[in-house]
């Protein structure tokens, strides 16, 4: 047998074995859906516990009226502006100061640490609760927000001072609102 015949047989063997139909593999493990259901149940319990803590804060603060938002957080006006009607909308720039506290009212971040903020409304990534709450505010207003953890930093925390699943109090003051112009527009 010469080398040419040997290579032809080898080539045909490789061709024949590589063209055979592969069978689908079955999963090594099967899930019954219990993990997902357990996760849902755990999250419902966590939210209920956080909402109870927030309800306790609200019931103990008899001097202020709290408003429940449709997004799942509560807020009260510390300073309310009646004469201005301009609310920030997508693309506007909101200039604000804020402070973050835990539900025991212990300061986590001071206004000085957080410094004045410039936020392009709905075009930048900030804490979910603030993203919505800022759109409720007028220039000069100060609002105290009570955010459950899923509206704050969620399961992950902020990798610094805010832990996993921590509900927060944010005290926010809007200093200025600049309406969107072609020059201030920022895209994501």
């Amino acid at each position: 047998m010469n080398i040419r015949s040997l290579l032809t047989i080898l080539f045909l063997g490789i061709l024949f074995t590589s063209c055979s139909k592969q069978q689908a593999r079955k999963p090594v493990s099967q899930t019954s859906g219990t993990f997902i259901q357990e996760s849902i149940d755990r999250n419902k319990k966590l939210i209920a516990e956080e909402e109870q803590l927030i309800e306790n804060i609200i019931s103990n603060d008899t001097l202020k009226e709290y408003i429940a938002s449709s997004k799942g957080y509560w807020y009260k006006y510390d300073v309310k502006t009646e004469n201005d009607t301009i609310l920030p909308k997508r693309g506007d720039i909101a200039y604000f100061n804020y402070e973050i506290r835990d539900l025991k009212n212990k300061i986590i971040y001071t206004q000085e640490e957080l410094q004045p903020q410039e936020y392009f409304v709905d075009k930048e990534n900030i804490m979910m609760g603030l993203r919505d709450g800022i759109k409720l505010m007028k220039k000069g207003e100060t609002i105290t927000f009570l955010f459950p953890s899923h509206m704050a930093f969620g399961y992950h925390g902020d990798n610094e001072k805010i832990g996993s699943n921590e509900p927060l109090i944010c005290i926010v003051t809007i200093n200025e609102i600049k309406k969107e112009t072609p020059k201030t527009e920022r895209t994501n």
Side-chain angles (χ1 to χ4, degrees), residues 145-164:
F145 294 98
L146 304 175
F147 296 124
S149 63
H150 66 276
M151 293 298 293
F153 288 92
Y155 175 74
H156 194 265
D158 77 339
N159 291 329
E160 293 181 33
K161 296 181 180 181
I162 299 172
S164 175

Side-chain angles (χ1 to χ4, degrees), residues 129-174:
L130 283 180
R131 187 177 177 115
D132 187 69
I134 285 174
K135 292 186 278 188
L136 302 172
M137 301 181 71
K138 301 172 195 165
K139 178 182 174 183
E141 288 186 330
T142 300
I143 293 181
T144 298
F145 294 98
L146 304 175
F147 296 124
S149 63
H150 66 276
M151 293 298 293
F153 288 92
Y155 175 74
H156 194 265
D158 77 339
N159 291 329
E160 293 181 33
K161 296 181 180 181
I162 299 172
S164 175
N165 295 322
E166 189 169 352
L168 299 173
I169 298 171
C170 292
I171 303 167
V172 181
T173 301
I174 295 288

